[in-house]
Every structure is written in C-alpha cells, then in structure tokens.
C-alpha cells in the first residue's frame, strides 16, 4: 500500500506529477450536497487539499472564502502559484492533526479523501481522533465537517460518532462513483458503487444552506 499517511510520499508524488488530480469525486459529483449544506458566504477550510480542482470549481460556483491546507509543502507552493490571481483563496502547509487556527474560525471544514489518507498512516486511530478534535475546535458552534470517503458507515462511524468528545451529530449520504473513476482504488473496502458523504454537524442539528 502506498504511504498515504506520510508527507514524504506526497512531496514525491506532487514533484513527479504536478497535474491536477481529484480523488474519488469531482465537484460535479458532490455539488448538490455541498449546495445543500454549505452557504456561499461561509468561511471554509479545505483539509488535505492536494492539487484537486475542488477549490477552483467551488470558487467558480460562488464559494470564494476558502483556506486550503496540505501536509505537502511541494503541492502548497504549486497551488499558490497556480491560483495567485484569486487572492481570497489561501494556501498553507499544515497537518490536519495540528491546525494552526484559532478556535471557532470556520463555518465548514471539507475533507475529500483526507480521513482515509490519515487512516492509512501509522498511529491512524490516534491521528484520526486528533484530526476530528482539531476540526471540532476550529468549527464555529453551528459549523459542520463535510467528509468524502470510500469507507463504509460500519467502519467510519466508529471514528466519528463520539458526541461526548466532538459534540456533533452525523448524517450519512451516498453518491455514485464516477463511471470512469479518476481515483485509484486504495483497498478492497472500496469495492462497491458509491462513495460516502459524512456530514458532522456541531450543535446537534444539521442546518441546510
């Protein structure tokens, strides 16, 4: 298995192949759910942005205040250069398990494939707990965590449904996989025809945008 949990893996990958790549879904595949839950004026954090076109596509659809972070300095430098004409898009090297933002900064945190990548690394259970705790900390009291994953609910909800720790409720949606998938298949778990969208809402109820 590729070392998806290591920053060195991603630096090497993005150095060799700087072309945009979207894991699992393009924006078109999740647009309806993003439009349902995320407001155009929301302050958004894209956790583990990679060189996905998701931020660009959301920007073109009216979501203009997006901070993008990734553990790879290589890809962040590439994205700073690529999107230097869009000053409301911010790019910072940062680990999702140790966010350098004040409490209650964001309305929405989006993580497409990022949770799965963290689960591929060493100390995955502890790191997922750190990731979720940090997301909960930087979300506003009515904020939500929008996760795109190949992981089935029987597995992923074990990590997400810890209301005493994260103070959020989880709603699960499915979206069909693209007919011609751009994404590699990271494990046998990714064998069915859908991806899962986990909406973790602080404050106990999900407010649709």
């Amino acid at each position: 298995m590729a070392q998806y949990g290591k920053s060195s893996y991603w630096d090497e990958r993005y150095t060799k192949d700087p072309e945009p790549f979207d894991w699992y879904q393009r924006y078109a595949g999740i647009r309806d759910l993003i439009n349902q839950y995320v407001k155009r004026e929301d302050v958004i954090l894209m956790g583990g942005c990679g060189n996905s076109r998701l931020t660009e596509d959301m920007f073109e659809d009216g979501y203009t205040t997006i901070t993008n972070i990734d553990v790879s300095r290589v890809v962040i430098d590439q994205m700073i250069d690529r999107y230097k004409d869009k000053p409301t898009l911010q790019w910072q090297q940062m680990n999702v398990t140790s966010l350098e933002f004040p409490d209650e900064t964001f309305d929405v945190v989006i993580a497409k494939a990022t949770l799965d990548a963290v689960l591929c690394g060493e100390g995955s259970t502890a790191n997922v707990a750190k990731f979720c705790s940090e997301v909960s900390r930087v979300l506003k009291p009515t904020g939500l965590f929008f996760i795109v994953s190949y992981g089935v609910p029987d597995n992923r909800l074990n990590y997400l449904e810890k209301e005493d720790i994260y103070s959020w409720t989880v709603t699960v949606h499915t979206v069909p996989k693209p007919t011609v998938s751009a994404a590699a298949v990271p494990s046998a778990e990714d064998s069915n025809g859908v991806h899962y969208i986990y909406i973790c809402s602080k404050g106990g109820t999900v407010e649709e945008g």
Side-chain angles (χ1 to χ4, degrees):
M1 179 183 288
Q3 297 297 305
Y4 296 130
K6 290 182 178 292
S7 59
S8 56
Y9 166 81
W10 294 108
D11 282 341
E12 182 178 354
R13 178 189 176 105
Y14 293 128
T15 299
K16 288 180 177 177
D17 187 8
E19 292 303 307
F21 181 86
D22 270 279
W23 291 88
Y24 305 168
Q25 296 279 336
R26 291 290 306 271
Y27 179 51
I30 57 175
R31 181 181 185 273
D32 287 349
L33 284 171
I34 287 181
N35 286 177
Q36 178 179 338
Y37 288 109
V38 186
K39 301 177 181 65
R40 294 299 192 283
E41 65 271 18
D42 279 347
V43 179
I44 301 166
L45 175 65
M46 191 72 68
C49 60
N51 57 11
S52 164
R53 288 160 291 199
L54 179 59
T55 290
E56 176 184 354
D57 292 342
M58 288 183 65
F59 181 90
E60 298 298 336
D61 197 26
Y63 298 97
T64 56
T65 307
I66 307 176
T67 297
N68 302 268
I69 63 169
D70 199 278
V71 73
S72 169
R73 164 54 60 189
V74 171
V75 81
I76 289 297
D77 286 345
Q78 291 171 351
M79 299 299 266
I80 288 171
D81 184 63
R82 184 173 298 158
Y83 295 110
K84 55 181 176 287
D85 61 331
K86 296 177 172 61
T88 62
L89 300 181
Q90 300 294 311
W91 307 90
Q92 299 181 50
Q93 181 190 21
M94 198 177 299
N95 193 313
V96 293
T97 66
S98 182
L99 299 177
E100 300 165 22
F101 301 109
D103 295 356
E104 300 182 4
T105 299
F106 298 99
D107 297 294
V108 178
V109 176
I110 298 175
K112 183 162 71 79
T114 310
L115 182 70
D116 299 343
V118 173
L119 282 168
C120 289
E122 294 178 5
S124 59
T125 300
N127 283 330
V128 166
K130 291 176 185 175
F131 182 15
C132 290
S133 294
E134 283 290 84
V135 168
S136 180
R137 180 182 66 77
V138 302
L139 279 175
K140 295 177 183 178
T142 57
L144 63 86
F145 188 16
F146 189 108
I147 300 167
V148 184
S149 172
Y150 71 79
V152 298
D154 282 351
N155 178 277
R156 294 301 186 261
L157 290 177
N158 293 329
Y159 298 101
L160 299 174
E161 287 188 329
K162 298 181 183 296
E163 293 181 17
D164 55 326
I165 303 174
Y166 307 134
S167 302
W168 56 40
T169 57
V170 185
T171 304
V172 183
H173 297 270
T174 58
V175 292
K177 290 180 181 174
T179 305
V180 180
S181 178
V185 178
S187 82
E189 189 181 351
D190 191 19
S191 59
N192 53 20
V194 299
H195 289 127
Y196 297 91
I197 312 296
Y198 298 95
I199 308 294
C200 305
S201 175
K202 289 183 73 173
T205 59
V206 175
E207 293 186 8
E208 299 179 5

